[in-house]
Amino acid sequence: MPDGLDLPVEALLPPFAGSLPTKLRVIGERALIRSRSLTRFSYSTERLLTGKAEQRSSILRGIHARNGLVLELEAVSDAVECYSQQHELTLANNLQACAVSAIVQEALNEVLQPHYCLCLAVSELAWRCHVIVAREAEYDVSFSDPEIPFSIFISVPTQNDRSSLLRVAENIVHETMHLQLSLFERRCPLIDTASTWTLHSPWKHEQRPAQGILHGLYVFHVLRWMWQQTAQYTQNGSDHSFALRRICDIEREINAVRAIEDSPALTPAGDLLLQRLFDSQEQAVNS
């Protein structure tokens, strides 16, 4: 490609090359500069939603990780509050968000730190973070929107135990991978979005278009890889048990959507990615 940002589909598979998140960040940032005159240094969810680059945007806390990663926790604003309500999300207030920021920091340092490619993806693609409130203590909620390309919304358990750190780490990776795939799709369409083909989603528990199913497959493929790595290398018994449970859950859910292989909505690139995902799963199961 003329700008040197060649992005083969295979590059999406973990452990993806370190250049992938960087190239995708460049693609997204160039689009932001053209459409909103925003850069990484001026970006905020509030500014993107209001279209006002001069809008004051408050950072509650910069969450620092050992590798230099900073995930900026954005304060509640009218624009983000309104957006969240429209998408049936309940934002934590500023005090609640600050109270759980230490859990987010520990999740980055204690759980994600061993996975370089995931840390880099979070560093390059998740610029702003918003804490949302889950309906139940054991129920996790996370959200992202391709139209808000560098923001993630995650729930954070209030109890500061090991399980909470693992759940938060998964939430962060989950939404960062949605952002990653959405940015990849700006360059290389994977689905014909005009198609009306749908399939029941084990994640949303409803009929979903092919794009939603493919996104779910990709995100959970990466999460399965993360938990496989954790199960293989951790010396923490709780982490090992949690990882094995998540691997079993994810494999069952992935197997439930194998019918997407027959979807007419897949582009050639989408079909190639799908086959790589399923081939990788089979290799992992047989290894």
Side-chain angles (χ1 to χ4, degrees), residues 40 61-65 67-72 108 122-123 126-127:
R40 178 162 197 165
R61 187 158 298 175
I63 300 173
H64 296 262
N67 66 344
L69 161 67
V70 179
L71 182 61
E72 293 181 331
L108 292 173
V122 174
S123 178
W127 299 353

Side-chain angles (χ1 to χ4, degrees), residues 34-48:
R34 289 194 303 268
S35 64
R36 302 294 179 89
S37 299
L38 292 173
T39 68
R40 178 162 197 165
F41 300 103
S42 60
Y43 177 91
S44 75
T45 311
E46 179 185 19
R47 286 174 178 152
L48 189 140

Side-chain angles (χ1 to χ4, degrees), residues 30-31 35 85 105 119 128 132 140 152 155 163 190-191 195 199 206 209 214 238 245 263 267 269 279 281-282:
R30 285 177 179 175
S35 64
Q85 291 176 358
Q105 182 165 327
C119 284
R128 292 297 179 103
I132 52 181
D140 293 323
I152 61 174
S155 62
S163 176
L190 303 172
I191 295 291
S195 172
L199 181 66
E206 62 185 14
L214 186 60
S238 296
R245 287 197 302 272
S263 173
T267 67
D279 288 347
Q281 180 195 17
E282 291 171 2

Side-chain angles (χ1 to χ4, degrees), residues 93-254:
N93 62 41
N94 291 341
L95 287 176
Q96 291 171 323
C98 285
V100 298
S101 62
I103 300 176
V104 179
Q105 182 165 327
E106 288 184 61
L108 292 173
N109 284 324
E110 300 298 329
V111 183
L112 294 186
Q113 184 68 24
H115 311 298
Y116 173 77
C117 66
L118 300 181
C119 284
L120 182 64
V122 174
S123 178
E124 291 281 37
L125 305 178
W127 299 353
R128 292 297 179 103
C129 179
H130 302 269
V131 177
I132 52 181
V133 179
R135 293 193 299 269
E136 301 173 13
E138 298 303 315
Y139 182 80
D140 293 323
V141 181
S142 63
F143 178 83
S144 58
D145 183 341
E147 298 303 316
I148 309 178
F150 298 108
S151 298
I152 61 174
F153 295 72
I154 61 169
S155 62
V156 179
T158 55
Q159 62 271 28
N160 191 2
D161 57 16
R162 192 68 187 180
S163 176
S164 296
L165 302 187
L166 299 171
R167 290 163 58 189
V168 170
E170 175 161 327
N171 285 344
I172 292 170
V173 172
H174 184 134
E175 296 311 326
T176 301
M177 290 302 100
H178 274 302
L179 296 181
Q180 178 159 284
L181 191 59
S182 293
L183 287 167
F184 185 91
E185 288 179 295
R186 292 181 181 225
R187 199 57 175 270
C188 179
L190 303 172
I191 295 291
D192 175 7
T193 55
S195 172
T196 59
W197 184 92
T198 64
L199 181 66
H200 185 268
S201 167
W203 305 293
K204 296 289 187 179
H205 304 292
E206 62 185 14
Q207 291 293 119
R208 296 283 292 164
Q211 188 174 40
I213 298 295
L214 186 60
H215 263 257
L217 269 171
Y218 176 68
V219 167
F220 283 99
H221 173 85
V222 175
L223 288 170
R224 182 187 60 195
W225 176 86
M226 181 180 80
W227 294 128
Q228 285 172 334
Q229 295 294 303
T230 300
Q232 183 174 355
Y233 295 110
T234 186
Q235 296 181 1
N236 183 303
S238 296
D239 289 15
H240 187 263
S241 297
F242 184 96
L244 291 180
R245 287 197 302 272
R246 290 300 295 134
I247 291 167
C248 289
D249 292 341
I250 290 169
E251 288 182 348
R252 182 173 60 253
E253 291 162 349
I254 287 177

